[in-house]
Amino acid sequence: MKPYDILIVGGGVIGTAVARELSKYKIKIALLEKEVELAFGVSKSNSGIIHPGTQTPPRSLKGRLCLAGNRLLRSWAQELGVHFKEVGELIVAFREEERAVLQRIQQDAESLGVLGLKIVDRAWLAEHEPNLNPEVKAALYAPSAGIVSPYRLVYDLAENAQQNGVDLFLQHPVSAIRPGRGYFEVVSSGSTVFRARVVINAAGLYADEVARLVGIQDIVIHPRKGEEYLLDKKRENLTRHLLFPLPTPTSKGILIIKSSDGNPIIGPTAEPAQSKEDLGTTDAGLAKILASVQKMVPTIQRRDIIAYFAGLRPVAGDDFIIRHEAALPGFINVAGIQSPGLTAAPAIALMVRDLVRTSGLTLAPKRRFQRHRKPSVHLFSRPLSSARALVRKDPAYGDIVCRCELVSAREIRDAIQRGARTLDGIKFRTRAQAGRCHGGFCTTRIMKILAEELGQPPEALTKRGPGSEIIAKSRDHDPA
Amino acid sequence: MTRPDLVIVGAGPAGMAAALAARDQGVRDILLLERDQHLGGILNQCIHPGFGLHQFKQDYTGPEFADQYIREVEAAPEITVSLRTFAARFAPDKTLTCLRPGRVDAIRARAVIFATGCRERTREMIPIPGTRPAGVFPAGLAQKMMNLEGLLPGRTVVIAGSGDIGLIMARRLTLEGARVQAVIELQAESRGLARNVVQCLEDFSIPLHCRHRITRIHGQNRVEKVSVAAVDDDLRDRPGTAFDIPCDTVLISVGLIPENELLEMAGAAMDLKANTPVVRELGVTSLPGVFVAGNAGNIYDLVDSVTRDSERVGQKAEAYLRGVA
């Protein structure tokens, strides 16, 4: 039996943001994640947009939390050493009569409290977004939109939470939750039993299943699939802003996204998924995305695409569901966190903190909370002059493993020492294998470093956890 | 800042042949940069025969062919070799910024030859839809795993595309005990050399499905199967022809892309569709004193042709140096 004050189910951006916020207080916290690494669920497919608060209904919970999150995230990013960049967004209109739609979006956003919005004309666009289709007549400009690396945000949140005493349990799916008097027993990974006074359900796509373990039936997650396609880093300066078409009833449309790593992203689609594992991309999805983004920026070519993936949004109705279950004191649901969930995450964490207080747990601030985390080093984001000093300090920074994205052996080792266990985990943390050769040149070298750091034979190494072993056998070992 | 007369980026067959030819013409200060820990480039993983039939009238393996050049390069006092050295930036004034363990160097050359080879087209570039499980490899990566690292990538394999590397790997995997289920080719006939179709597929009864494509990769964690369909002459799927092939591995052998990102960075005129610099004659880029050799300039079928042409590029670099001296 492992006794805790708080147990968080789910190691995505919501679970880790809540863990980091609650680690400011004198309580014992456990975070359980079913996958082999954090951010391997909904968060890994996030496009990294920090939304300004446009296109969320002004009276909705997600609108309020998006706006608050956009403000909070800046200080969080600074404390965690995550690169946040305010690039601004443009919602574009191709017809004069669509100006009225832009005005309505502007009014809604302003009533929510979004600042700095303005409708810009053709001349402004020609100067500030030169590759935009000249047929765009006007756009709504929201300067407070930004970008961040979604996975690095999760990893850095978790690392900071761990610095402040949070216990992390990976490969710990929850199979049963038994309410007791003033506590819950949470059964995980077969027979491990945790005991906690408060359980926070941040299980993403599986939040409905976790809620059902305690008899809550009214949360149903309908996964909505989004395919996204990454462009070569050579096209980094394709756009200066995030580009949005006019929104549709179910989504913000198909976008041109600047990413924190430099590679533009185009997408996503929005289609009902067949299952919670339905992560396939399709010919139809690609065709739809290309047609849509080429309308906004005609120079985008199919050959610019170097990678693609699909993600699932955990949709549960129109709004976020964030509530303390009065009938089950101590059980807090954080479900249906679709877009703009990444933006809202810090504000959601504060809201959950208040719900924890409501549940009766006393939150006394720690005298020593380590607010700051030493930023990770990414050679690709530095000028080579500063790389020189790094290489002089540690020769392994000059040992380039991934040449497409300029990632050194030292960064790979750092990523593993900080928690990467798989090739995908290394990719998300460092970008190694994420470039135009797609790991063709660096995979074997990364496998060697991973095998060495983990003390495992090569056939035990995986892409993303058990079942995704990379090779069948090695010369020295034959598991078959 | 070091200032050699000639810097050559890449010490595969093209880079080595160009270096030796420039030396033979009288260039005395040549710096040969190689990002790997050995000379020889991709030849080191090509352990099959068929190299050198024209150049040496011999049937060499890749490493044997490379060795003919490596010995000479290593013995040449005019050629300085810098291994594990990665050229990260190239500026129009012919300054290369290079990283290697423990050092970052700026090298300003009087002339530069890019012999940077090529990378493989990936699954992502075709693109093949479906899931993204473990077990999808560029064929050249699978070759490196098997021949240099002693790793068997999978046990039941489908190969997408009939490029030479894919054909060679079909035979190689079969010899190592894997079962190659099929090679799927979009075009009406194989893209590889005729001798490879015979020696690598027909001799091992491996089916080649031309005018077919992989329509989907299946599998949550590891590849489980692929869906395949026949296509018509306009490359559209033919209704009613779809079938599945179970497999745990998919190799992608659908062509090569010359690696010229450094030239592009410095503003050389580029053919963006081929990803090669625009050349007005063999190896001569739009930037004065900047040359391209080997697969970086044009994808070759035979290494014998690579070294033959690269020698000419090495001579042109020498002529340039003489002209500006």
Side-chain angles (χ1 to χ4, degrees), chain A residues 266-312:
Chain A
I266 54 175
T269 52
E271 306 286 339
Q274 286 155 11
S275 76
K276 290 178 180 176
E277 285 83 37
D278 174 15
L279 289 170
T281 55
T282 60
D283 287 335
L286 172 58
K288 184 172 177 181
I289 287 172
L290 264 184
S292 185
V293 297
Q294 282 169 337
K295 192 176 167 205
M296 288 196 284
V297 175
T299 57
I300 294 175
Q301 302 286 322
R302 186 170 150 149
R303 66 167 179 269
D304 294 329
I305 295 171
I306 61 160
Y308 45 86
F309 54 86
L312 298 174

Side-chain angles (χ1 to χ4, degrees), chain A residues 443-444 447 471, chain B residues 137 141-147 149-151:
Chain A
T443 298
T444 54
M447 286 174 71
I471 58 159
Chain B
F137 303 98
L141 171 60
Q143 185 180 48
K144 184 176 180 185
M145 285 179 160
M146 294 203 65
N147 295 348
E149 309 294 341
L151 310 173

Side-chain angles (χ1 to χ4, degrees), chain A residues 146-446:
Chain A
I147 52 176
V148 76
S149 162
Y151 358 94
R152 286 204 282 278
L153 178 62
V154 175
Y155 295 131
D156 296 348
L157 281 166
E159 205 173 300
N160 187 232
Q162 286 177 280
Q163 280 177 303
N164 289 295
V166 172
D167 289 337
L168 180 61
F169 298 89
L170 296 166
Q171 290 180 285
H172 271 68
V174 170
S175 53
I177 301 176
R178 295 190 288 261
R181 282 175 186 274
Y183 61 86
F184 295 87
E185 282 183 4
V186 177
V187 185
S188 167
S189 286
S191 55
T192 313
V193 181
F194 295 81
R195 193 172 188 167
R197 295 164 69 189
V198 171
V199 170
I200 298 166
N201 172 15
L205 283 171
Y206 302 89
D208 51 353
E209 293 169 38
V210 170
R212 275 204 292 280
L213 294 175
V214 289
I216 294 166
Q217 306 291 348
D218 67 333
I219 298 174
V220 182
I221 305 285
H222 297 284
R224 187 185 294 147
K225 184 154 88 174
E227 297 181 24
E228 299 203 307
Y229 293 75
L230 254 81
L231 308 187
D232 195 304
K233 207 176 244 182
K234 288 181 203 172
R235 303 308 303 269
E236 179 163 1
N237 299 317
L238 184 70
T239 68
R240 298 180 186 172
H241 306 86
L242 301 156
L243 297 188
F244 289 60
L246 291 183
T248 71
T250 54
S251 90
K252 299 184 182 71
I254 292 172
L255 324 176
I256 302 172
I257 302 164
K258 289 181 80 66
S259 81
S260 187
D261 295 333
N263 307 64
I265 300 172
I266 54 175
T269 52
E271 306 286 339
Q274 286 155 11
S275 76
K276 290 178 180 176
E277 285 83 37
D278 174 15
L279 289 170
T281 55
T282 60
D283 287 335
L286 172 58
K288 184 172 177 181
I289 287 172
L290 264 184
S292 185
V293 297
Q294 282 169 337
K295 192 176 167 205
M296 288 196 284
V297 175
T299 57
I300 294 175
Q301 302 286 322
R302 186 170 150 149
R303 66 167 179 269
D304 294 329
I305 295 171
I306 61 160
Y308 45 86
F309 54 86
L312 298 174
R313 307 168 180 88
V315 180
D318 292 330
D319 210 344
F320 297 161
I321 299 171
I322 304 172
R323 67 189 190 207
H324 175 243
E325 302 293 337
L328 198 65
F331 199 91
I332 296 170
N333 278 307
V334 190
I337 312 297
Q338 51 165 315
S339 179
L342 185 81
T343 310
I348 292 173
L350 295 188
M351 184 174 169
V352 170
R353 176 201 62 193
D354 294 342
L355 292 177
V356 169
R357 284 201 172 113
T358 310
S359 81
L361 197 70
T362 306
L363 295 179
K366 278 179 188 160
R367 284 177 58 190
R368 287 183 182 208
F369 169 70
Q370 296 184 52
R371 186 170 296 279
H372 294 274
R373 186 194 149 268
K374 198 171 158 231
S376 311
V377 171
H378 299 288
L379 273 185
F380 74 78
S381 64
R382 291 169 172 253
L384 276 166
S385 52
S386 99
R388 182 169 282 126
L390 276 176
V391 172
R392 204 171 290 142
K393 214 169 66 186
D394 185 334
Y397 279 119
D399 184 359
I400 301 302
V401 173
C402 166
R403 30 42 117 19
C404 301
E405 299 290 323
L406 199 66
V407 185
S408 65
R410 172 61 199 264
E411 291 160 76
I412 309 273
R413 284 189 202 276
D414 274 354
I416 301 165
Q417 282 156 15
R418 292 178 41 227
R421 291 291 171 270
T422 63
L423 286 189
D424 276 1
I426 289 172
K427 176 166 74 179
F428 294 157
R429 284 175 176 82
T430 67
R431 287 205 56 73
Q433 320 154 74
R436 57 183 77 96
C437 91
H438 236 262
F441 289 104
C442 62
T443 298
T444 54
R445 180 85 200 279
I446 295 171

